[in-house]
């Protein structure tokens, strides 16, 4: 039952927001009493914490699967973006913003875990891209990784990129293209344009 509650809570938090969803909402969606939920989770904070951990694990599994295919580095970045956006983004609400505002300690903890996972993934991606001649040979991979992570989090900032003015999917695509163009060789730019043209067609 605990895992069933976690799965439903995670789904609802992503679709409706961490603040918006109440324990009553989750109990109603599962057809159980609120007492049943509290028998597994002492309070909402604990449920949010474990739900974010479950979401993080699912993100890691998906990204590790994509990286395991060892596509060219540019295609890999687009595949990761597609996976994350399709499964863990919502055009209408900002779960990340609600988590940061109402559960700051949990948000910071997840941000640290996210950075650790992203750092390993992007550094590997950069090194393979350099080896394949897609990325500039003199890149400082540690610096680029941190800039990429900072940018990914920056475009989620509701104050800088308000949802009424910027669609999440287009914003993520624009940022990814910006990142790739900044670090690519001529060969890399050609590969990027090929991927963009294929998606448009």
């Amino acid at each position: 039952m605990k895992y069933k509650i976690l799965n439903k809570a995670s789904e609802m938090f992503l679709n409706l927001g961490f603040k918006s969803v109440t324990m009553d909402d989750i109990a109603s969606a599962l057809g159980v009493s609120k007492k049943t939920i509290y028998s597994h989770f002492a309070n909402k904070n604990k449920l949010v914490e474990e739900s974010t951990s479950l979401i993080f694990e699912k993100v890691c599994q998906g990204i590790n699967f994509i990286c395991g295919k060892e596509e060219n580095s540019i295609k890999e970045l687009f595949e990761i973006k597609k996976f994350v956006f399709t499964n863990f983004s919502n055009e209408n609400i900002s779960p990340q913003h609600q988590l940061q505002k109402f559960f700051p300690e949990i948000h910071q903890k997840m941000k640290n875990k996210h950075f650790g996972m992203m750092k390993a993934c992007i550094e590997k991606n950069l090194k393979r891209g350099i080896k394949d001649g897609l990325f500039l040979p003199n890149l400082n991979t540690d610096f680029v990784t941190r800039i990429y992570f900072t940018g990914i989090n920056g475009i989620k900032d509701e104050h800088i990129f308000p949802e009424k003015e910027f669609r999440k999917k287009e914003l993520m695509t624009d940022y990814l293209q910006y990142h790739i163009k900044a670090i690519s060789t001529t060969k890399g730019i050609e590969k990027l344009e090929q991927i963009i043209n294929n998606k448009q067609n």
Side-chain angles (χ1 to χ4, degrees), residues 1 4-5 7-13 15-16 21-34 37:
M1 175 57 74
K4 188 176 180 180
I5 295 170
N7 266 323
K8 177 54 70 173
S10 299
E11 175 190 325
M12 294 178 72
F13 288 146
N15 290 331
L16 302 170
V21 175
T22 66
M23 300 294 260
D24 284 314
D25 293 331
I26 297 168
S28 178
L30 287 168
V32 300
S33 67
K34 192 162 61 171
I37 297 179

Side-chain angles (χ1 to χ4, degrees), residues 92-135:
N92 300 315
I93 57 101
S94 178
Q96 170 100 0
H97 178 64
Q98 288 197 13
L99 186 65
Q100 183 176 7
K101 183 176 181 180
F102 298 105
F103 303 93
E105 291 184 3
I106 297 174
H107 175 265
Q108 187 59 51
K109 180 180 177 181
M110 294 311 301
K111 185 176 179 181
N112 293 340
K113 290 175 68 174
H114 181 205
F115 174 69
M117 180 270 292
M118 184 73 87
K119 188 174 189 296
C121 174
I122 297 302
E123 281 188 341
K124 185 177 178 181
N125 176 276
L126 289 169
K127 289 175 181 177
R128 189 165 73 252
I130 292 170
K131 181 181 178 181
D132 294 341
L134 298 175
F135 296 152

